[in-house]
């Protein structure tokens, strides 16, 4: 009975791991997995035992990478993602002049912990118009 229970449990666990995609890679697949040890500041824990699958910078949908800076060790100091050119349309005033326009970028943090690694934020833009008066004279 004990042997049947062990076999049954092993079968259930093995099937569950295979169905969720958590099966361990074979010897050939293990070569392609690149693990590295992280450098942690005091009190931070980024992964179990300091091992992580690596850092992959990806720009959000609609953005493309415009630049990045890495230090000598390969650590990413920063990267920049950009949108296509955004145009604030011309607004024609009653006096025949075009309103002056001043674009503004608005960054709104929506979640995450900037001291703990992940930050979630939203970027909005505003086209701010102001009246252009007709010169006197």
């Amino acid at each position: 009975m004990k042997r049947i229970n062990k076999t049954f449990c092993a079968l259930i666990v093995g099937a569950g791991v295979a169905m969720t995609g958590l099966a361990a890679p074979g010897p050939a697949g293990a070569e392609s997995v690149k693990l590295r040890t992280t450098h942690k500041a005091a009190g931070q824990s980024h992964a179990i035992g300091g091992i992580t699958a690596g850092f992959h910078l990806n720009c959000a949908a609609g953005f493309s990478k415009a630049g990045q800076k890495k230090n000598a060790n390969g650590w990413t100091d920063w990267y920049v993602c950009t949108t296509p050119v955004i145009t604030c349309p011309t607004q024609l005033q009653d006096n025949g002049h075009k309103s002056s326009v001043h674009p503004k970028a608005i960054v709104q943090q929506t979640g995450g912990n900037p001291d703990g690694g992940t930050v979630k934020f939203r970027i909005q833009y505003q086209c701010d118009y102001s009246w252009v008066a007709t010169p006197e004279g």
Side-chain angles (χ1 to χ4, degrees):
M1 184 69 171
K2 213 175 197 185
R3 184 174 180 204
I4 293 172
N5 284 343
K6 283 184 182 179
T7 305
F8 181 72
C9 288
L11 178 65
I12 296 297
V13 170
V17 167
M19 289 177 72
T20 60
L22 298 176
E31 293 175 289
S32 65
V33 176
K34 304 261 191 243
L35 296 178
R36 65 178 176 83
T37 303
T38 60
H39 301 283
K40 299 184 289 184
Q44 288 185 333
S45 176
H46 297 292
I48 299 171
I51 302 293
T52 180
F55 170 72
H56 299 284
L57 57 92
N58 294 317
C59 293
F63 288 78
S64 59
K65 191 167 83 170
Q68 69 179 16
K69 180 184 175 203
K70 291 187 174 189
N71 66 19
N73 297 331
W75 179 267
T76 299
D77 287 328
W78 54 262
Y79 70 96
V80 176
C81 296
T82 186
T83 65
V85 174
I86 299 170
T87 303
C88 293
T90 302
Q91 180 173 212
L92 192 58
Q93 301 174 173
D94 293 342
N95 63 3
H97 292 290
K98 295 177 184 175
S99 297
S100 63
V101 62
H102 308 282
K104 295 180 182 177
I106 304 161
V107 178
Q108 177 187 27
Q109 187 172 333
T110 61
N113 179 358
D115 295 329
T118 301
V119 174
K120 295 179 181 182
F121 63 98
R122 172 183 298 122
I123 299 173
Q124 299 173 326
Y125 70 93
Q126 176 180 338
C127 295
D128 190 12
Y129 295 92
S130 58
W131 183 265
V132 174
T134 304
E136 291 184 28

